[in-house]
Amino acid sequence: MNACVKIQPKTVKPMPTLEAHTLYSGSITAIDLDSHTWTIDHRIQAHCADSFLVKPNVGDIVSFIQRNDRYFIIQILQQSAVDTLNLISTKPILMSAPVIKIHAKDLLECLSLNRLSLICQHGALSMACTLIVSAEHMIQTVGQLALNARGLLKLNGKQQIITADEDVRIDGKRINMG
């Protein structure tokens, strides 16, 4: 005996149609950094797409799209004569990779208005000429500290305290106290 079971096909909902977006291009004519808007061709107010990190400057030729009565810059087609490539973001930036290297031929400057943290297992800081450290308060905690100077080692302070649980050793050809 053969039995046939009829299965009703599921009703497939059609995919919603995607809105058609037109790609435009124009020249940046003004910038309002307070509201993060760029004026294109003296008439269109646009924002940069969130994934857009290069800051457009006045004179740059950009491509942009319209989405729900808002315009978004998505690409710089040609930069005006600007010496600096300026990266911007209104959101935090996280770079994650097995190795990150930053090279600068003339100057590398890190600036934070709040906090700068360097955390690592091993570190090296090497200067060919001059290192200047300036702070209101400085606390160093180490297991052992060795300071070596080929020339003069000078410590100045209104008051100095040297304490040791065991021995304090001062050794030199001449020792002047007072």
Side-chain angles (χ1 to χ4, degrees):
M1 171 175 161
N2 289 341
C4 282
V5 177
K6 255 189 174 181
I7 299 175
Q8 294 291 335
K10 286 186 175 181
T11 307
V12 177
K13 295 180 182 178
M15 285 185 62
T17 58
L18 297 175
E19 295 180 32
H21 299 290
T22 305
L23 186 62
Y24 302 99
S25 68
S27 180
I28 302 290
T29 52
I31 300 172
D32 183 355
L33 293 179
D34 293 332
S35 64
H36 299 288
T37 58
W38 284 259
T39 304
I40 302 172
D41 295 334
H42 299 288
R43 57 186 168 83
I44 297 170
Q45 300 294 315
H47 296 272
C48 286
D50 284 343
S51 62
F52 197 79
L53 294 178
V54 178
K55 177 186 168 196
N57 292 304
V58 173
D60 290 355
I61 298 172
V62 297
S63 63
F64 59 99
I65 60 170
Q66 180 182 6
R67 170 86 175 162
N68 298 333
D69 298 330
R70 290 186 70 195
Y71 293 93
F72 295 95
I73 299 170
I74 58 171
Q75 190 174 23
I76 295 177
L77 302 174
Q78 183 178 20
Q79 283 194 304
S80 59
V82 175
D83 294 338
T84 303
L85 179 64
N86 194 351
L87 303 180
I88 61 164
S89 177
T90 57
K91 297 181 179 181
I93 295 175
L94 171 67
M95 294 172 54
S96 180
V99 176
I100 297 175
K101 294 183 178 185
I102 300 174
H103 296 267
K105 181 181 176 188
D106 295 323
L107 173 70
L108 176 61
E109 184 176 320
C110 295
L111 172 68
S112 175
L113 298 179
N114 189 11
R115 182 183 174 142
L116 175 65
S117 297
L118 297 174
I119 302 169
C120 61
Q121 185 174 358
H122 302 284
L125 185 61
S126 176
M127 307 297 155
C129 291
T130 304
L131 172 64
I132 299 170
V133 178
S134 177
E136 182 67 29
H137 302 281
M138 183 172 175
I139 300 169
Q140 291 181 321
T141 304
V142 299
Q144 294 182 7
L145 176 64
L147 294 174
N148 294 311
R150 281 182 287 223
L152 174 68
L153 177 61
K154 181 178 178 182
L155 299 173
N156 289 333
K158 186 175 181 180
Q159 298 175 354
Q160 289 191 15
I161 301 171
I162 298 173
T163 60
D165 289 338
E166 294 181 16
D167 297 332
V168 173
R169 180 178 175 204
I170 299 174
D171 186 11
K173 188 174 181 182
R174 287 186 314 243
I175 298 174
N176 297 316
M177 305 286 280

